[in-house]
mmCIF file with all atom_site columns, all heavy atoms in Angstrom:
data_model
loop_
_atom_site.group_PDB
_atom_site.id
_atom_site.type_symbol
_atom_site.label_atom_id
_atom_site.label_alt_id
_atom_site.label_comp_id
_atom_site.label_asym_id
_atom_site.label_entity_id
_atom_site.label_seq_id
_atom_site.pdbx_PDB_ins_code
_atom_site.Cartn_x
_atom_site.Cartn_y
_atom_site.Cartn_z
_atom_site.occupancy
_atom_site.B_iso_or_equiv
_atom_site.pdbx_formal_charge
_atom_site.auth_seq_id
_atom_site.auth_comp_id
_atom_site.auth_asym_id
_atom_site.auth_atom_id
_atom_site.pdbx_PDB_model_num
ATOM 1   N N   . ASN A 1 20  ? -11.635 4.729   -10.605 1.00 44.00 ? 20  ASN A N   1
ATOM 2   C CA  . ASN A 1 20  ? -11.400 3.403   -11.164 1.00 44.00 ? 20  ASN A CA  1
ATOM 3   C C   . ASN A 1 20  ? -12.607 2.918   -11.955 1.00 44.00 ? 20  ASN A C   1
ATOM 4   O O   . ASN A 1 20  ? -13.678 2.713   -11.402 1.00 44.00 ? 20  ASN A O   1
ATOM 5   C CB  . ASN A 1 20  ? -11.113 2.406   -10.037 1.00 44.00 ? 20  ASN A CB  1
ATOM 6   C CG  . ASN A 1 20  ? -9.850  2.740   -9.275  1.00 44.00 ? 20  ASN A CG  1
ATOM 7   O OD1 . ASN A 1 20  ? -9.411  3.873   -9.249  1.00 44.00 ? 20  ASN A OD1 1
ATOM 8   N ND2 . ASN A 1 20  ? -9.266  1.741   -8.658  1.00 44.00 ? 20  ASN A ND2 1
ATOM 9   N N   . LEU A 1 25  ? -12.746 1.011   -6.512  1.00 95.00 ? 25  LEU A N   1
ATOM 10  C CA  . LEU A 1 25  ? -12.993 2.052   -5.522  1.00 95.00 ? 25  LEU A CA  1
ATOM 11  C C   . LEU A 1 25  ? -14.418 1.988   -4.997  1.00 95.00 ? 25  LEU A C   1
ATOM 12  O O   . LEU A 1 25  ? -14.663 2.125   -3.787  1.00 95.00 ? 25  LEU A O   1
ATOM 13  C CB  . LEU A 1 25  ? -12.709 3.422   -6.132  1.00 95.00 ? 25  LEU A CB  1
ATOM 14  C CG  . LEU A 1 25  ? -12.661 4.609   -5.168  1.00 95.00 ? 25  LEU A CG  1
ATOM 15  C CD1 . LEU A 1 25  ? -11.685 4.368   -4.038  1.00 95.00 ? 25  LEU A CD1 1
ATOM 16  C CD2 . LEU A 1 25  ? -12.303 5.874   -5.926  1.00 95.00 ? 25  LEU A CD2 1
ATOM 17  N N   . ALA A 1 33  ? -17.018 -1.317  5.891   1.00 97.00 ? 33  ALA A N   1
ATOM 18  C CA  . ALA A 1 33  ? -17.174 -1.886  7.235   1.00 97.00 ? 33  ALA A CA  1
ATOM 19  C C   . ALA A 1 33  ? -16.755 -3.346  7.266   1.00 97.00 ? 33  ALA A C   1
ATOM 20  O O   . ALA A 1 33  ? -16.024 -3.780  8.172   1.00 97.00 ? 33  ALA A O   1
ATOM 21  C CB  . ALA A 1 33  ? -18.618 -1.724  7.709   1.00 97.00 ? 33  ALA A CB  1
ATOM 22  N N   . GLU A 1 46  ? 5.323   -9.056  12.161  1.00 97.00 ? 46  GLU A N   1
ATOM 23  C CA  . GLU A 1 46  ? 6.614   -9.519  11.650  1.00 97.00 ? 46  GLU A CA  1
ATOM 24  C C   . GLU A 1 46  ? 7.006   -8.762  10.381  1.00 97.00 ? 46  GLU A C   1
ATOM 25  O O   . GLU A 1 46  ? 8.162   -8.349  10.214  1.00 97.00 ? 46  GLU A O   1
ATOM 26  C CB  . GLU A 1 46  ? 6.575   -11.015 11.373  1.00 97.00 ? 46  GLU A CB  1
ATOM 27  C CG  . GLU A 1 46  ? 7.884   -11.570 10.846  1.00 97.00 ? 46  GLU A CG  1
ATOM 28  C CD  . GLU A 1 46  ? 7.839   -13.066 10.602  1.00 97.00 ? 46  GLU A CD  1
ATOM 29  O OE1 . GLU A 1 46  ? 6.882   -13.729 11.050  1.00 97.00 ? 46  GLU A OE1 1
ATOM 30  O OE2 . GLU A 1 46  ? 8.771   -13.574 9.955   1.00 97.00 ? 46  GLU A OE2 1
ATOM 31  N N   . VAL A 1 82  ? 3.802   9.671   10.865  1.00 98.00 ? 82  VAL A N   1
ATOM 32  C CA  . VAL A 1 82  ? 3.036   8.903   9.883   1.00 98.00 ? 82  VAL A CA  1
ATOM 33  C C   . VAL A 1 82  ? 2.023   9.797   9.176   1.00 98.00 ? 82  VAL A C   1
ATOM 34  O O   . VAL A 1 82  ? 1.307   10.562  9.811   1.00 98.00 ? 82  VAL A O   1
ATOM 35  C CB  . VAL A 1 82  ? 2.276   7.730   10.551  1.00 98.00 ? 82  VAL A CB  1
ATOM 36  C CG1 . VAL A 1 82  ? 1.610   6.861   9.490   1.00 98.00 ? 82  VAL A CG1 1
ATOM 37  C CG2 . VAL A 1 82  ? 3.218   6.891   11.414  1.00 98.00 ? 82  VAL A CG2 1
ATOM 38  N N   . GLU A 1 83  ? 1.982   9.673   7.864   1.00 98.00 ? 83  GLU A N   1
ATOM 39  C CA  . GLU A 1 83  ? 0.891   10.190  7.055   1.00 98.00 ? 83  GLU A CA  1
ATOM 40  C C   . GLU A 1 83  ? 0.178   8.986   6.460   1.00 98.00 ? 83  GLU A C   1
ATOM 41  O O   . GLU A 1 83  ? 0.793   7.937   6.231   1.00 98.00 ? 83  GLU A O   1
ATOM 42  C CB  . GLU A 1 83  ? 1.400   11.103  5.942   1.00 98.00 ? 83  GLU A CB  1
ATOM 43  C CG  . GLU A 1 83  ? 2.114   12.342  6.447   1.00 98.00 ? 83  GLU A CG  1
ATOM 44  C CD  . GLU A 1 83  ? 2.593   13.224  5.306   1.00 98.00 ? 83  GLU A CD  1
ATOM 45  O OE1 . GLU A 1 83  ? 2.040   13.103  4.191   1.00 98.00 ? 83  GLU A OE1 1
ATOM 46  O OE2 . GLU A 1 83  ? 3.524   14.012  5.530   1.00 98.00 ? 83  GLU A OE2 1
ATOM 47  N N   . TYR A 1 98  ? -10.027 5.520   13.931  1.00 98.00 ? 98  TYR A N   1
ATOM 48  C CA  . TYR A 1 98  ? -9.270  4.448   14.574  1.00 98.00 ? 98  TYR A CA  1
ATOM 49  C C   . TYR A 1 98  ? -7.872  4.896   14.990  1.00 98.00 ? 98  TYR A C   1
ATOM 50  O O   . TYR A 1 98  ? -7.372  4.508   16.048  1.00 98.00 ? 98  TYR A O   1
ATOM 51  C CB  . TYR A 1 98  ? -9.174  3.260   13.618  1.00 98.00 ? 98  TYR A CB  1
ATOM 52  C CG  . TYR A 1 98  ? -8.466  2.059   14.189  1.00 98.00 ? 98  TYR A CG  1
ATOM 53  C CD1 . TYR A 1 98  ? -8.989  1.372   15.289  1.00 98.00 ? 98  TYR A CD1 1
ATOM 54  C CD2 . TYR A 1 98  ? -7.280  1.591   13.630  1.00 98.00 ? 98  TYR A CD2 1
ATOM 55  C CE1 . TYR A 1 98  ? -8.346  0.266   15.820  1.00 98.00 ? 98  TYR A CE1 1
ATOM 56  C CE2 . TYR A 1 98  ? -6.626  0.482   14.149  1.00 98.00 ? 98  TYR A CE2 1
ATOM 57  C CZ  . TYR A 1 98  ? -7.173  -0.177  15.245  1.00 98.00 ? 98  TYR A CZ  1
ATOM 58  O OH  . TYR A 1 98  ? -6.526  -1.271  15.759  1.00 98.00 ? 98  TYR A OH  1
ATOM 59  N N   . THR A 1 99  ? -7.236  5.713   14.161  1.00 98.00 ? 99  THR A N   1
ATOM 60  C CA  . THR A 1 99  ? -5.840  6.087   14.411  1.00 98.00 ? 99  THR A CA  1
ATOM 61  C C   . THR A 1 99  ? -5.678  7.368   15.211  1.00 98.00 ? 99  THR A C   1
ATOM 62  O O   . THR A 1 99  ? -4.629  7.596   15.809  1.00 98.00 ? 99  THR A O   1
ATOM 63  C CB  . THR A 1 99  ? -5.090  6.266   13.082  1.00 98.00 ? 99  THR A CB  1
ATOM 64  O OG1 . THR A 1 99  ? -5.672  7.366   12.355  1.00 98.00 ? 99  THR A OG1 1
ATOM 65  C CG2 . THR A 1 99  ? -5.158  5.006   12.241  1.00 98.00 ? 99  THR A CG2 1
ATOM 66  N N   . PHE A 1 108 ? -3.740  6.763   -5.796  1.00 97.00 ? 108 PHE A N   1
ATOM 67  C CA  . PHE A 1 108 ? -2.304  6.505   -5.898  1.00 97.00 ? 108 PHE A CA  1
ATOM 68  C C   . PHE A 1 108 ? -1.651  7.374   -6.978  1.00 97.00 ? 108 PHE A C   1
ATOM 69  O O   . PHE A 1 108 ? -0.536  7.859   -6.819  1.00 97.00 ? 108 PHE A O   1
ATOM 70  C CB  . PHE A 1 108 ? -2.052  5.035   -6.221  1.00 97.00 ? 108 PHE A CB  1
ATOM 71  C CG  . PHE A 1 108 ? -2.596  4.077   -5.195  1.00 97.00 ? 108 PHE A CG  1
ATOM 72  C CD1 . PHE A 1 108 ? -3.371  2.988   -5.583  1.00 97.00 ? 108 PHE A CD1 1
ATOM 73  C CD2 . PHE A 1 108 ? -2.333  4.252   -3.850  1.00 97.00 ? 108 PHE A CD2 1
ATOM 74  C CE1 . PHE A 1 108 ? -3.862  2.109   -4.647  1.00 97.00 ? 108 PHE A CE1 1
ATOM 75  C CE2 . PHE A 1 108 ? -2.825  3.372   -2.897  1.00 97.00 ? 108 PHE A CE2 1
ATOM 76  C CZ  . PHE A 1 108 ? -3.598  2.295   -3.304  1.00 97.00 ? 108 PHE A CZ  1
ATOM 77  N N   . ILE A 1 141 ? 6.398   6.856   -6.495  1.00 98.00 ? 141 ILE A N   1
ATOM 78  C CA  . ILE A 1 141 ? 6.881   6.408   -5.195  1.00 98.00 ? 141 ILE A CA  1
ATOM 79  C C   . ILE A 1 141 ? 8.383   6.648   -5.071  1.00 98.00 ? 141 ILE A C   1
ATOM 80  O O   . ILE A 1 141 ? 8.868   7.139   -4.042  1.00 98.00 ? 141 ILE A O   1
ATOM 81  C CB  . ILE A 1 141 ? 6.540   4.924   -4.980  1.00 98.00 ? 141 ILE A CB  1
ATOM 82  C CG1 . ILE A 1 141 ? 5.039   4.766   -4.670  1.00 98.00 ? 141 ILE A CG1 1
ATOM 83  C CG2 . ILE A 1 141 ? 7.383   4.311   -3.860  1.00 98.00 ? 141 ILE A CG2 1
ATOM 84  C CD1 . ILE A 1 141 ? 4.573   3.329   -4.603  1.00 98.00 ? 141 ILE A CD1 1
ATOM 85  N N   . GLU A 1 143 ? 10.175  8.866   -6.518  1.00 98.00 ? 143 GLU A N   1
ATOM 86  C CA  . GLU A 1 143 ? 10.417  10.296  -6.361  1.00 98.00 ? 143 GLU A CA  1
ATOM 87  C C   . GLU A 1 143 ? 10.023  10.786  -4.969  1.00 98.00 ? 143 GLU A C   1
ATOM 88  O O   . GLU A 1 143 ? 10.642  11.711  -4.428  1.00 98.00 ? 143 GLU A O   1
ATOM 89  C CB  . GLU A 1 143 ? 9.643   11.081  -7.422  1.00 98.00 ? 143 GLU A CB  1
ATOM 90  C CG  . GLU A 1 143 ? 10.156  10.860  -8.842  1.00 98.00 ? 143 GLU A CG  1
ATOM 91  C CD  . GLU A 1 143 ? 9.342   11.620  -9.875  1.00 98.00 ? 143 GLU A CD  1
ATOM 92  O OE1 . GLU A 1 143 ? 8.299   12.201  -9.505  1.00 98.00 ? 143 GLU A OE1 1
ATOM 93  O OE2 . GLU A 1 143 ? 9.756   11.632  -11.048 1.00 98.00 ? 143 GLU A OE2 1
ATOM 94  N N   . THR A 1 173 ? 4.313   -13.632 -9.499  1.00 98.00 ? 173 THR A N   1
ATOM 95  C CA  . THR A 1 173 ? 5.165   -14.685 -8.957  1.00 98.00 ? 173 THR A CA  1
ATOM 96  C C   . THR A 1 173 ? 6.554   -14.078 -8.750  1.00 98.00 ? 173 THR A C   1
ATOM 97  O O   . THR A 1 173 ? 6.796   -12.925 -9.122  1.00 98.00 ? 173 THR A O   1
ATOM 98  C CB  . THR A 1 173 ? 5.266   -15.873 -9.920  1.00 98.00 ? 173 THR A CB  1
ATOM 99  O OG1 . THR A 1 173 ? 5.890   -15.418 -11.137 1.00 98.00 ? 173 THR A OG1 1
ATOM 100 C CG2 . THR A 1 173 ? 3.888   -16.445 -10.252 1.00 98.00 ? 173 THR A CG2 1
ATOM 101 N N   . GLU A 1 175 ? 9.217   -14.788 -10.398 1.00 98.00 ? 175 GLU A N   1
ATOM 102 C CA  . GLU A 1 175 ? 9.794   -14.536 -11.718 1.00 98.00 ? 175 GLU A CA  1
ATOM 103 C C   . GLU A 1 175 ? 9.171   -13.312 -12.380 1.00 98.00 ? 175 GLU A C   1
ATOM 104 O O   . GLU A 1 175 ? 9.875   -12.445 -12.917 1.00 98.00 ? 175 GLU A O   1
ATOM 105 C CB  . GLU A 1 175 ? 9.623   -15.766 -12.615 1.00 98.00 ? 175 GLU A CB  1
ATOM 106 C CG  . GLU A 1 175 ? 10.393  -16.996 -12.163 1.00 98.00 ? 175 GLU A CG  1
ATOM 107 C CD  . GLU A 1 175 ? 9.734   -17.736 -11.018 1.00 98.00 ? 175 GLU A CD  1
ATOM 108 O OE1 . GLU A 1 175 ? 8.564   -17.409 -10.665 1.00 98.00 ? 175 GLU A OE1 1
ATOM 109 O OE2 . GLU A 1 175 ? 10.382  -18.637 -10.451 1.00 98.00 ? 175 GLU A OE2 1
ATOM 110 N N   . SER A 1 186 ? 15.771  2.676   -10.028 1.00 98.00 ? 186 SER A N   1
ATOM 111 C CA  . SER A 1 186 ? 15.933  3.537   -8.847  1.00 98.00 ? 186 SER A CA  1
ATOM 112 C C   . SER A 1 186 ? 15.336  2.923   -7.594  1.00 98.00 ? 186 SER A C   1
ATOM 113 O O   . SER A 1 186 ? 15.507  3.466   -6.489  1.00 98.00 ? 186 SER A O   1
ATOM 114 C CB  . SER A 1 186 ? 15.302  4.906   -9.096  1.00 98.00 ? 186 SER A CB  1
ATOM 115 O OG  . SER A 1 186 ? 13.909  4.782   -9.333  1.00 98.00 ? 186 SER A OG  1
ATOM 116 N N   . THR A 1 192 ? 12.619  -10.297 -1.508  1.00 98.00 ? 192 THR A N   1
ATOM 117 C CA  . THR A 1 192 ? 11.236  -10.712 -1.709  1.00 98.00 ? 192 THR A CA  1
ATOM 118 C C   . THR A 1 192 ? 11.035  -11.998 -0.920  1.00 98.00 ? 192 THR A C   1
ATOM 119 O O   . THR A 1 192 ? 11.976  -12.780 -0.736  1.00 98.00 ? 192 THR A O   1
ATOM 120 C CB  . THR A 1 192 ? 10.897  -10.946 -3.191  1.00 98.00 ? 192 THR A CB  1
ATOM 121 O OG1 . THR A 1 192 ? 11.748  -11.961 -3.716  1.00 98.00 ? 192 THR A OG1 1
ATOM 122 C CG2 . THR A 1 192 ? 11.069  -9.669  -4.012  1.00 98.00 ? 192 THR A CG2 1
ATOM 123 N N   . ARG A 1 202 ? -7.991  -18.072 5.655   1.00 58.00 ? 202 ARG A N   1
ATOM 124 C CA  . ARG A 1 202 ? -7.413  -17.701 4.365   1.00 58.00 ? 202 ARG A CA  1
ATOM 125 C C   . ARG A 1 202 ? -5.987  -18.239 4.210   1.00 58.00 ? 202 ARG A C   1
ATOM 126 O O   . ARG A 1 202 ? -5.237  -17.775 3.357   1.00 58.00 ? 202 ARG A O   1
ATOM 127 C CB  . ARG A 1 202 ? -7.392  -16.166 4.226   1.00 58.00 ? 202 ARG A CB  1
ATOM 128 C CG  . ARG A 1 202 ? -8.746  -15.494 4.406   1.00 58.00 ? 202 ARG A CG  1
ATOM 129 C CD  . ARG A 1 202 ? -9.631  -15.675 3.204   1.00 58.00 ? 202 ARG A CD  1
ATOM 130 N NE  . ARG A 1 202 ? -9.209  -14.876 2.087   1.00 58.00 ? 202 ARG A NE  1
ATOM 131 C CZ  . ARG A 1 202 ? -9.616  -13.618 1.862   1.00 58.00 ? 202 ARG A CZ  1
ATOM 132 N NH1 . ARG A 1 202 ? -10.428 -13.022 2.713   1.00 58.00 ? 202 ARG A NH1 1
ATOM 133 N NH2 . ARG A 1 202 ? -9.211  -12.957 0.796   1.00 58.00 ? 202 ARG A NH2 1
ATOM 134 N N   . GLY A 1 203 ? -5.604  -19.198 5.032   1.00 58.00 ? 203 GLY A N   1
ATOM 135 C CA  . GLY A 1 203 ? -4.233  -19.682 5.054   1.00 58.00 ? 203 GLY A CA  1
ATOM 136 C C   . GLY A 1 203 ? -3.772  -20.339 3.769   1.00 58.00 ? 203 GLY A C   1
ATOM 137 O O   . GLY A 1 203 ? -2.570  -20.489 3.540   1.00 58.00 ? 203 GLY A O   1
#
Side-chain angles (χ1 to χ4, degrees):
N20 297 24
L25 191 54
E46 180 179 348
V82 186
E83 298 180 21
Y98 183 64
T99 64
F108 300 131
I141 285 173
E143 292 178 353
T173 63
E175 295 78 9
S186 62
T192 60
R202 304 285 287 271

